[in-house]
Amino acid sequence: MSDQTPPVPDPPSPESDAHPARGRVIRVVTRVVLVVVILSAGAGVFALLVATGESTPRNPPGADARRVVAFELEPSTVRRPWRGYGTAEAIDSADVPARVTATVASIPAEVREGRRVAAGETLVRLDAGDFERALASADSQLDDLRAQLDRLDVERGRLDRQVELETRDVDIMQREVARFERLRDTQSANDKDVDDSTRLLIAAEAQLTRTQESLDALPARRRSLEALIAAQERAVDQARVDLERTTIVSPLDGIVEAVDVEVGEQVAVGQRVARLVGLSSMEVGLALPASARGAVVVGDRAELTSVSDGTAWVGEVGRVNPRDDAETRTVTVYVDVEQPGADERFGTRDGAGLLLPGVFVSGWAVGEERAGCWVVPRRSVREGRVMVVDGLDEQGVGLVRSLPVDVAFTLSSDSVPGLASATGLPDAEWVVVESAEGQLSEGVSVLVTPPTDLRDGSAVQPVSPREANTATAVGVEAEGAGVSAGGGS
């Protein structure tokens, strides 16, 4: 090991301790001065920008409130519609039957399904041979009975003359008997002469009696013949009618819906040979809820729409079925639809919108009139509530509040004329609402389409539908000038 001792450093002097402290102070001061200079420069630049920049107007009070589309509630007078379904049928229709049993002889070429026929026009001709012979036979029997009646008149004249002669003969015989009795009293004649003359008188009186009986029987024989003649005349008339019925004619002006027979086919009495329909007067039996009884009455207006193509018609309730359907709980009301000139228009382009038999329709029968109803667009009701704006200030800003409502029934825009023009809303479906708490009143602003993110108590600025449409039309895009996406129309 080395015996050398390490050197001991010299103690620092006071001058060397002062230099580090002075350096730190200088650095701190330098940094502070630099920060002050930078801040001053920034303040100067800001002041310069403010002095040289354009002034921006401040937003007016309420400008930050969300703008939504709303309309003022007004009471309306409406008529409640009741919806149902039914099938159209022709009021003037006929299932034309055969009235006699015969064979189809011919069918005119014009008689086909879809053709128009006039009343009295021939539809089917049946074989008339048997009926012509039956009519001829009935006529012959009638002629024979009439001849017997004529012979009875002749016989009456003969019997009248015979009674006259036999009466005179009886008178003569009575005088003859009296003369023989006087002669017998003078002994100029005997009893045999009196008896002979008496027998002749009795024979003459008997003959007169028989002739008178024949004459008296003539009225009864006449009445019998007249009854036979009347019966035979009816038989002749029936035979003539049966002959006429071999030509089957149309009972009405209309369209041939079906021809059910062919030439050579045997038809029986009552068998349908054709069906005809008139299109000028149609009827639809609408099955409405049973609760509509009493609300929908004869004379009420009804709107019908084809389920297949949407064609619409307007009619009037003509009658109401007195019985409710227990299974479906419906009442049937019959709606009349008048289509003047429909038969002539059928099959042409002008007849494209006609209501035809068999068309299945949905319909609205409009019931009694109600006043003071609150009518809002269907989209304004969400989960059984509507949103209204309360407490509008001078800037038109208010607070949102939701109210529970009950939907009484649905309306179309056509049900309340002037509704769209009064509100500025083009909605097709509207509902009549009732507030259980009675908080709906005239002039309350109702949001057209309540935004899903809007809560009760939120500040909003209601905009009328017309103002919203105008803003959209001119292309306003700024958020402050636009309307809430949830509240647009």
Side-chain angles (χ1 to χ4, degrees):
M1 293 181 64
S2 173
D3 295 333
Q4 293 181 357
T5 301
V8 178
D10 294 334
S13 64
E15 290 81 1
S16 62
D17 291 338
H19 289 296
R22 187 183 300 112
R24 285 195 298 270
V25 171
I26 293 173
R27 287 194 296 272
V28 170
V29 172
T30 302
R31 291 174 181 171
V32 170
V33 173
L34 181 62
V35 169
V36 171
V37 172
I38 293 174
L39 291 176
S40 299
V45 172
F46 177 76
L48 179 63
L49 292 175
V50 171
T52 58
E54 296 181 359
S55 63
T56 303
R58 298 180 61 186
N59 288 333
D64 294 335
R66 186 173 183 177
R67 307 186 73 188
V68 293
V69 178
F71 69 99
E72 292 187 358
L73 198 61
E74 294 183 1
S76 301
T77 299
V78 301
R79 297 173 70 92
R80 178 173 182 176
W82 300 83
R83 187 171 188 176
Y85 294 88
T87 303
E89 298 292 344
I91 294 179
D92 299 326
S93 63
D95 290 327
V96 184
R99 305 291 299 277
V100 294
T101 299
T103 303
V104 178
S106 65
I107 300 175
E110 308 83 44
V111 180
R112 294 290 183 271
E113 289 84 350
R115 292 290 183 86
R116 185 165 65 92
V117 294
E121 186 174 341
T122 299
L123 300 176
V124 176
R125 288 189 178 89
L126 304 179
D127 185 2
D130 293 342
F131 301 98
E132 291 173 347
R133 288 187 288 272
L135 177 60
S137 175
D139 277 335
S140 298
Q141 295 179 31
L142 179 61
D143 290 342
D144 180 64
L145 290 174
R146 286 172 175 169
Q148 292 182 41
L149 187 62
D150 292 341
R151 288 195 297 272
L152 195 64
D153 292 336
V154 174
E155 184 176 356
R156 181 180 183 85
R158 179 182 63 78
L159 290 176
D160 285 340
R161 179 60 177 166
Q162 186 173 347
V163 167
E164 181 183 354
L165 294 176
E166 290 177 353
T167 300
R168 292 175 59 188
D169 189 28
V170 168
D171 292 341
I172 292 172
M173 295 306 298
Q174 288 175 346
R175 290 194 298 272
E176 185 70 15
V177 170
R179 186 173 65 81
F180 276 112
E181 288 178 346
R182 288 193 301 272
L183 290 175
R184 185 183 61 182
D185 292 342
T186 60
Q187 302 297 321
S188 299
N190 54 29
D191 292 338
K192 181 179 182 300
D193 294 331
V194 174
D195 292 339
D196 291 340
S197 62
T198 301
R199 278 195 298 274
L200 292 175
L201 174 60
I202 293 172
E205 288 178 344
Q207 180 61 38
L208 176 59
T209 300
R210 289 192 294 271
T211 304
Q212 187 64 49
E213 288 177 352
S214 297
L215 182 61
D216 292 341
L218 287 181
R221 290 174 59 191
R222 170 176 286 278
R223 287 194 296 272
S224 178
L225 277 175
E226 288 176 346
L228 290 174
I229 289 173
Q232 190 59 33
E233 286 176 343
R234 288 193 294 272
V236 170
D237 290 341
Q238 185 61 49
R240 184 174 292 108
V241 169
D242 289 343
L243 178 59
E244 292 174 353
R245 287 174 175 172
T246 59
T247 300
I248 303 174
V249 300
S250 171
L252 51 83
D253 295 333
I255 309 297
V256 179
E257 182 179 312
V259 178
D260 302 319
V261 296
E262 298 179 352
V263 174
E265 181 179 344
Q266 181 80 8
V267 296
V269 175
Q271 179 180 342
R272 193 180 85 170
V273 299
R275 175 170 174 79
L276 307 177
V277 292
L279 304 181
S280 296
S281 298
M282 300 296 296
E283 183 179 67
V284 177
L286 279 184
L288 304 179
S291 55
R293 183 178 294 280
V296 178
V297 297
V298 174
D300 283 347
R301 183 173 179 268
E303 300 175 2
L304 307 175
T305 304
S306 171
V307 174
S308 60
D309 59 14
T311 305
W313 304 271
V314 176
E316 182 179 285
V317 176
R319 54 195 178 99
V320 180
N321 195 307
R323 181 181 179 86
D324 284 0
D325 191 312
E327 294 183 359
T328 60
R329 297 181 181 179
T330 58
V331 57
T332 302
V333 299
Y334 297 90
V335 179
D336 297 333
V337 178
E338 297 298 328
Q339 304 180 123
D343 293 340
E344 291 75 12
R345 291 188 286 137
F346 175 74
T348 67
R349 297 190 186 278
D350 292 339
L354 292 174
L355 179 60
L356 302 177
V359 174
F360 186 67
V361 302
S362 64
W364 293 93
V366 184
E368 75 275 13
E369 194 173 77
R370 293 188 180 186
C373 295
W374 306 119
V375 184
V376 301
R378 175 181 285 276
R379 55 181 166 147
S380 295
V381 180
R382 178 168 296 169
E383 298 179 355
R385 306 179 75 88
V386 296
M387 282 190 169
V388 301
V389 183
D390 287 334
L392 296 179
D393 57 19
E394 296 179 355
Q395 286 74 36
V397 177
L399 301 180
V400 171
R401 180 165 58 100
S402 63
L403 300 176
V405 293
D406 295 325
V407 176
F409 51 89
T410 303
L411 294 171
S412 65
S413 57
D414 296 335
S415 302
V416 187
L419 187 61
S421 60
T423 61
L425 296 172
D427 293 59
E429 291 190 357
W430 299 72
V431 291
V432 175
V433 297
E434 299 173 351
S435 175
E437 303 175 0
Q439 295 175 307
L440 293 178
S441 60
E442 184 175 358
V444 170
S445 294
V446 178
L447 271 62
V448 175
T449 308
T452 56
D453 59 343
L454 199 60
R455 298 292 180 265
D456 283 14
S458 300
V460 296
Q461 183 177 13
V463 179
S464 69
R466 290 188 178 83
E467 291 176 354
N469 291 337
T470 302
T472 304
V474 298
V476 176
E477 299 293 344
E479 183 177 355
V483 295
S484 172
S489 62

